[in-house]
Amino acid sequence: QCKDMDIVFDGKLNAWDTGYYGNELLKSKGVDSEKIREYFPLDHVVSTTMEIYQELLGLTFTELLQGTYWSWHKEVRCFHVKDTAS
């Protein structure tokens, strides 16, 4: 594929390559990412992950109101993270 794009391949798998090749591997195995997404709704995943971090790491997450921070997309959410003990 590098030849098709006129890119010289250095023979190394770089950090920025892993996402691409990971997706290619999933496609080659017939994994449907959209189907998997149905089982992991974003809001539930975010809240559960934060609950785990709050318990294990003693953190508190407070979501900032949209418009109070710069964002490249309207669906981006921003959280203030604080050490609960502080």
Side-chain angles (χ1 to χ4, degrees), residues 46 50 61-64 69 77-81:
V46 169
M50 289 184 181
F61 296 90
T62 307
E63 187 165 7
L64 302 177
Y69 57 90
R77 296 166 63 188
C78 185
F79 294 86
H80 178 260
V81 183

Side-chain angles (χ1 to χ4, degrees), residues 2-85:
C2 287
K3 287 180 185 177
D4 296 340
M5 297 187 296
D6 201 27
I7 298 172
V8 177
F9 179 57
D10 62 4
K12 298 176 185 175
L13 182 63
N14 298 295
W16 53 85
D17 296 326
T18 57
Y20 173 78
Y21 286 109
N23 286 332
E24 290 298 306
L25 178 62
L26 292 175
K27 282 187 214 173
S28 73
K29 301 296 181 187
V31 175
D32 183 353
S33 297
E34 293 303 315
K35 193 71 175 166
I36 292 172
R37 186 172 290 165
E38 293 175 17
Y39 294 96
F40 298 95
L42 180 62
D43 288 336
H44 177 71
V45 171
V46 169
S47 65
T48 303
T49 302
M50 289 184 181
E51 287 172 13
I52 291 168
Y53 287 158
Q54 285 178 163
E55 186 176 331
L56 291 178
L57 303 175
L59 300 175
T60 301
F61 296 90
T62 307
E63 187 165 7
L64 302 177
L65 296 174
Q66 241 183 356
T68 61
Y69 57 90
W70 179 87
S71 171
W72 59 91
H73 193 276
K74 64 181 180 174
E75 293 181 10
V76 169
R77 296 166 63 188
C78 185
F79 294 86
H80 178 260
V81 183
K82 183 180 176 185
D83 181 354
T84 305

